[in-house]
Amino acid sequence: MASTQKSLVESVPKGLLIGGTWRASSDGATLAVEDPSSGTTLAQVADATVADGTAALDAAVAAQAGWAATPPRDRGEILRAAFERISERAEDFATLMTLEMGKTLAESRGEVTYGAEFFRWFSEEAVRIHGRWSTAPNGATRLLTMKKPVGPTLMITPWNFPLAMGTRKIGPAIAAGCTMVVKPASQTPLTMLALAELLQECGLPAGVLNVITTSRTGDVMEPIIKDPRLRKLTFTGSTGVGRRLVEQSAEQLLRVSMELGGNAPFIVFDDADLDRAVDGAMLAKMRNIGEACTAANRFFVQEGVADEFGARFAKRMAALTMGKGTKKGVDVGPLIDAKARDGVAALVEDAREQGGTVLTGGSAVKGRGYFFEPTVITDVPASARVMSEEIFGPVAPISTFRTEAEAIERANNTEYGLASYVFTADLARVIRVSEALEYGMIGINQGIISNPAAPFGGVKASGFGREGGFEGIEEYLETTYVGIAP
Ligand code: NAP
């Protein structure tokens, strides 16, 4: 690690942030954060105990009333200041993310812009929280609705977007007047710790944001989820863990938002602009090394353009350079760990055995780090695991279709329903297909769909709730109705 990178990692707080104070774990334990490009340890951070988790919730509960009473403009100004400061320190945040998560610096810079934007968006939303006044239909009473913050919220975030998955929860919670306990993924806590310190510098009062890092994840999270003082759980991560957390939250009927896994179809019709479709495929597949819930997972290409699309896409994938994300000229970083790399390899092997033809890539890279070659596989049968499971790596399985109805049927044939992509020049088809796809998000002729001003979220096993857009703040608000007799 270069000395500037080393001093950047050293400058990040490594403790638990509880009630405005950074402290060690109550039993002194730490957990190691690894650089996935080399497998070496970057830093040790505090490893919270169950008692630390409870203390973090205590702090959030204690700060709730004061925070809810803080003028919306003041809450918004803190977010705005944080947006400015993240932007000023963009290079530090990008470097930290690349070091602990592996993606290239260019991609991390993109995430800093995207992640910071949630703070700007919700700084503007903080002052636009509205109720309603109306007359009941029979004229007998007046109906007043008012919005109140939900209250102390637990936020659990994944490793793939260490900044943005946090800001799109923290931003609306701060704007709405909720306090919070944040638990970042054990593999990428440094970005969140740096963000928490930055929010303190921007004047966020003690106890509003508490951060705990832990390797004893289930043991520390469950008592918080079951504590009646907690009023909301928001989770981004795998569908399996999400299901377990919904079960745990059922005990006290907690308000819950779930941003879970995906299995995005990428549909290319014969009439599509193929240049755009190939550009879109590169973005939808390779953003974040394929480790995105929105990543194109299954490519359905209409027969007339399938060969050309496959050949052009494979050529672009083969031209990508793999390496450590901080190095110049690198397009593709490593996967997060050995388990992820081996899981991707097993999916490719299964697709091969079931008759798929590997046009490019197809193997894990030997040596240090957890690299997997950018891969395109054609003639993949529907029975291949890669068509039903979330790949979370740089692998694109392609299969062909004949009719629009067949494309829709196959695209919807999954338990997931997060992102989907459609490439066509036919406006009537855009309307038909958009109405028929069972997905929370649909990208038309574009390979990136995430936008802080849009409601991000899924249906079916991809979860419920929306982050970003006008909808994002509603997740952190309750509606109270007051009936007033005139
Ligand atoms: P994960 O294993 O579900 O972990 C996500 C978070 O949950 C981590 O902070 C993890 O902590 C925590 N966790 C694990 N077990 C837990 C338990 N028993 N109780 C409470 N918390 C627990 O998912 P991941 O591998 O990090 O992330 C990849 C998944 O996230 C993919 O499926 C992806 O599609 C999904 N994702 C969805 C969205 C979306 O918006 N829909 C966005 C990004 C990612 P530890 O790190 O300590 O284990």
Side-chain angles (χ1 to χ4, degrees):
M1 203 177 5
S3 63
T4 45
Q5 292 170 5
K6 200 164 169 231
S7 58
L8 174 64
V9 170
E10 278 167 8
S11 72
V12 176
K14 309 291 186 312
L16 311 170
L17 178 59
I18 299 178
T21 306
W22 293 93
R23 52 165 107 156
S25 156
S26 56
D27 68 0
T30 59
L31 73 92
V33 184
E34 214 183 62
D35 173 351
S37 72
S38 62
T40 54
T41 298
L42 281 173
Q44 298 280 343
V45 301
D47 189 352
T49 63
V50 172
D52 295 324
T54 307
L57 181 60
D58 292 346
V61 171
Q64 178 58 55
W67 184 236
T70 302
R73 177 66 79 200
D74 294 359
R75 301 197 303 257
E77 292 292 338
I78 291 170
L79 282 176
R80 177 72 203 199
F83 161 74
E84 307 281 357
R85 203 169 283 216
I86 297 171
S87 306
E88 282 158 24
R89 295 192 47 207
E91 208 51 27
D92 285 352
F93 274 99
T95 305
L96 261 186
M97 270 195 280
T98 292
L99 286 172
E100 65 178 349
M101 187 274 167
K103 68 181 123 192
T104 62
L105 269 179
E107 290 212 61
S108 293
R109 289 182 189 121
E111 183 177 342
V112 174
T113 304
Y114 172 57
E117 192 58 37
F118 284 101
F119 281 2
R120 177 155 64 174
W121 176 264
F122 286 109
S123 75
E124 293 156 354
E125 290 299 282
V127 292
R128 318 220 191 288
I129 298 168
H130 301 296
R132 206 169 70 223
W133 174 263
S134 62
T135 302
N138 67 1
T141 185
R142 304 294 175 265
L143 314 177
L144 168 68
T145 64
M146 56 176 97
K147 300 280 185 178
K148 297 176 185 168
V150 171
T153 299
L154 175 63
M155 305 178 168
I156 304 178
T157 58
W159 49 263
N160 60 344
F161 292 98
L163 182 74
M165 296 304 99
T167 55
R168 68 187 195 179
K169 297 183 190 305
I170 296 167
I174 288 179
C178 295
T179 61
M180 64 212 91
V181 176
V182 180
K183 208 245 28 112
S186 300
Q187 285 165 308
T188 57
L190 299 176
T191 305
M192 181 58 70
L193 294 169
L195 180 69
E197 188 181 47
L198 180 144
L199 279 161
Q200 279 186 304
E201 288 163 11
C202 293
L204 193 68
V208 173
L209 172 81
N210 305 277
V211 181
I212 51 173
T213 47
T214 182
S215 67
R216 303 170 255 202
T217 310
D219 291 346
V220 176
M221 292 296 104
E222 190 169 351
I224 302 179
I225 293 168
K226 293 188 169 169
D227 190 314
R229 297 173 302 162
L230 186 75
R231 305 315 300 267
K232 179 176 170 74
L233 164 67
T234 171
F235 171 75
T236 300
S238 60
T239 295
V241 172
R243 282 201 173 100
R244 208 173 324 152
L245 298 185
V246 170
E247 269 173 38
Q248 289 173 11
S249 66
E251 200 158 294
Q252 60 148 326
L253 298 169
L254 197 60
R255 214 162 136 193
V256 177
S257 305
M258 288 278 146
E259 297 283 352
L260 307 176
N263 182 6
F266 187 102
I267 307 171
V268 183
F269 286 97
D270 279 345
D271 60 24
D273 175 337
L274 269 201
D275 290 336
R276 284 175 84 164
V278 173
D279 285 348
M282 292 300 294
L283 286 171
K285 181 72 255 181
M286 293 308 293
R287 177 170 178 237
N288 229 43
I289 326 165
E291 294 174 314
C293 51
T294 50
N297 213 70
R298 299 167 295 152
F299 289 79
F300 298 113
V301 187
Q302 205 161 10
E303 283 177 339
V305 292
D307 288 347
E308 191 183 345
F309 175 83
R312 286 170 63 175
F313 185 22
K315 194 170 169 207
R316 292 273 296 274
M317 290 282 269
L320 297 173
T321 305
M322 274 183 293
K324 189 176 166 74
T326 45
K327 279 203 185 132
K328 274 214 169 86
V330 167
D331 305 304
V332 188
L335 295 177
I336 189 74
D337 56 24
K339 191 169 158 232
R341 179 199 56 199
D342 297 347
V344 171
L347 289 178
V348 171
E349 209 35 55
D350 172 75
R352 248 196 203 118
E353 279 167 14
Q354 299 212 36
T357 306
V358 176
L359 290 188
T360 185
S363 303
V365 180
K366 294 202 173 71
R368 269 154 62 100
Y370 312 115
F371 294 91
F372 196 92
E373 295 170 344
T375 299
V376 177
I377 318 175
T378 52
D379 308 319
V380 182
S383 57
R385 282 175 53 207
V386 79
M387 297 303 274
S388 56
E389 294 178 26
E390 192 177 29
I391 302 170
F392 243 55
V395 175
I398 303 180
S399 78
T400 57
F401 68 89
R402 286 207 178 122
T403 64
E404 183 181 304
E406 182 194 348
I408 292 167
E409 196 274 321
R410 289 172 66 187
N412 285 342
N413 187 16
T414 168
E415 65 167 334
Y416 295 105
L418 191 64
S420 54
Y421 304 89
V422 179
F423 284 75
T424 178
D426 180 342
L427 181 58
R429 173 175 274 152
V430 168
I431 297 169
R432 281 194 306 275
V433 175
S434 302
E435 287 178 356
L437 284 175
E438 295 165 356
Y439 286 84
M441 299 176 284
I442 305 172
I444 304 293
N445 296 326
Q446 62 181 48
I448 286 205
I449 203 162
S450 307
N451 190 309
F456 187 107
V459 298
K460 295 160 71 179
S462 292
F464 40 82
R466 293 293 180 267
E467 293 188 327
F470 301 122
E471 291 81 355
I473 200 163
E474 292 297 329
E475 301 282 327
Y476 298 88
L477 294 169
E478 293 285 11
T479 302
T480 299
Y481 144 62
V482 186
I484 307 171

